[in-house]
Structures are given as C-alpha cells and as structure tokens.
Amino acid sequence: MSDEFNCIIVGVGGQGGATLTNVIAEAATRKGLRGRMHETLGMAQRGGSVQVQIRLGSQVYSSFIPPGQADVLIALDPNEALRAAEYIGKKTTIIMNTNGILPVSVLMGKEKYPDLKEEISLLKQLGREVYAYDAYGLAKQAGSIRAMSVVLLGSLAKLGISPLTRDELYQAMLDTVPKKYLKENIAAFNAGEMEIEKLRKK
C-alpha cells in the first residue's frame, strides 16, 4: 500500500457513522495496517455534526488529516460534506448520501437548506470524483434505514480505492453488525455496490 491513506466520514448523530467507522477499523486491524483515528462528536445524540478522520499507512504519525489530503470523503449527509471542504483536494473521491436530515433551524424556517445541485457542483470542482445518490432510500428498500452507512460502505468497497479489499470490508461488516440485523445490512452493502455500477455507466 502507499505510505498514507486518509478517509473522512461525516454526518450527523444517529445516521450510523459509528457503525461505518467500526467496520473500517476492524478490517484494518485484521489486515495488520497501522492507523490513527480522530473523532469529533459534537452533540452526536442530538443530530449535531459528527466527523471521523481515519488514517492508514506506514508513515502516518498524526491522527489529523492535512488540508486537501483526504483520499476519500464519505458523507452521510450532504450538508456535512461541505463542512469538510478544507480536507477535499484533487485526489479526493466523494461518496455522498443525498437524502439529508434537515436541521431544526431549517424546519423552523429560520434558515434555508443548501441547494443539492449546487452542493454537488461545488464538490465536483473541489474533488476528483463525486458519487452522490439516495443512500437513505436504498437502505429503506434493503429493510432498515439504520443500514444507510452500510450502503455507503458497499460503494467504497466496490470502488476499490482503499487499501482494504471488498472482501475484507464485507467480512468485517458481517462480524461487526449484530446478527439480528445481518439480513438488512447484507442487502444494504449489495445495494451500495450496485449503485456504483449504475453511476459509473452514466
């Protein structure tokens, strides 16, 4: 692998960011990869911003990703993707759920939610590639909206852009997710893979 692989996971509390982080960490540990991680859980239980930085590589000494050096940004919420813009560079691949959670201020009419098309356009200018789709809807079809983060995990696995293979991520998911929720999460993982295939053909 390269000396460094940087992944940022962003979202809001309750979207499944912890599950996604745990699966990636488990897969990396099993593979024997050295890594560091930093979490920012601002009001995670109340829908506040959540950001996790994961760094893997033989030459990684800090848990903080330098500006513009993220290899992958996984956004469980489109608005949170823009909050992490400082880490996006020309090598960054962005995998983003387009069905976000509206903040209380927006629901009360005090603020306006950013236009999704404008967000995607801006992210395309900042990064290398953007794969944006309704992961929430796919998770719902798979049987559980709580599996949304696993939909995005499936997309990461399909793209093959991390030092962790598809099978390594899949097996870590099988062993990390509670057994009673495996059926829905397997379906969600597969849905994320299939969605990438569709987007690549466009």
Side-chain angles (χ1 to χ4, degrees), residues 88-125:
I88 300 174
K90 293 305 178 182
K91 70 173 184 175
T92 309
T93 296
I94 301 163
I95 307 170
M96 183 175 76
N97 166 45
T98 57
N99 193 338
I101 295 176
L102 297 179
V104 174
S105 58
V106 173
L107 294 173
M108 295 177 65
K110 294 182 178 180
E111 294 181 1
K112 183 179 179 181
Y113 199 78
D115 181 80
L116 181 60
K117 290 183 178 180
E118 291 181 2
E119 284 186 304
I120 294 175
S121 177
L122 179 57
L123 292 171
K124 286 181 176 179
Q125 294 176 46

Side-chain angles (χ1 to χ4, degrees), residues 40-86:
T40 302
L41 306 175
M43 296 180 65
Q45 299 301 318
R46 298 185 181 182
S49 297
V50 177
Q51 183 185 105
V52 180
Q53 299 187 18
I54 301 173
R55 308 192 71 199
L56 304 175
S58 59
Q59 301 298 317
V60 172
Y61 302 104
S62 170
S63 57
F64 294 93
I65 297 174
Q69 293 302 306
D71 293 289
V72 177
L73 168 63
I74 303 176
L76 286 74
D77 187 279
N79 201 33
E80 296 303 316
L82 289 180
R83 293 185 195 276
E86 66 176 298

Side-chain angles (χ1 to χ4, degrees), residues 1-6 28 31-36 54-62 71 163:
M1 64 174 291
S2 64
D3 290 338
E4 183 179 304
F5 177 78
N6 298 318
K31 194 167 185 174
L33 299 180
R34 293 178 58 185
R36 293 182 180 273
I54 301 173
R55 308 192 71 199
L56 304 175
S58 59
Q59 301 298 317
V60 172
Y61 302 104
S62 170
D71 293 289

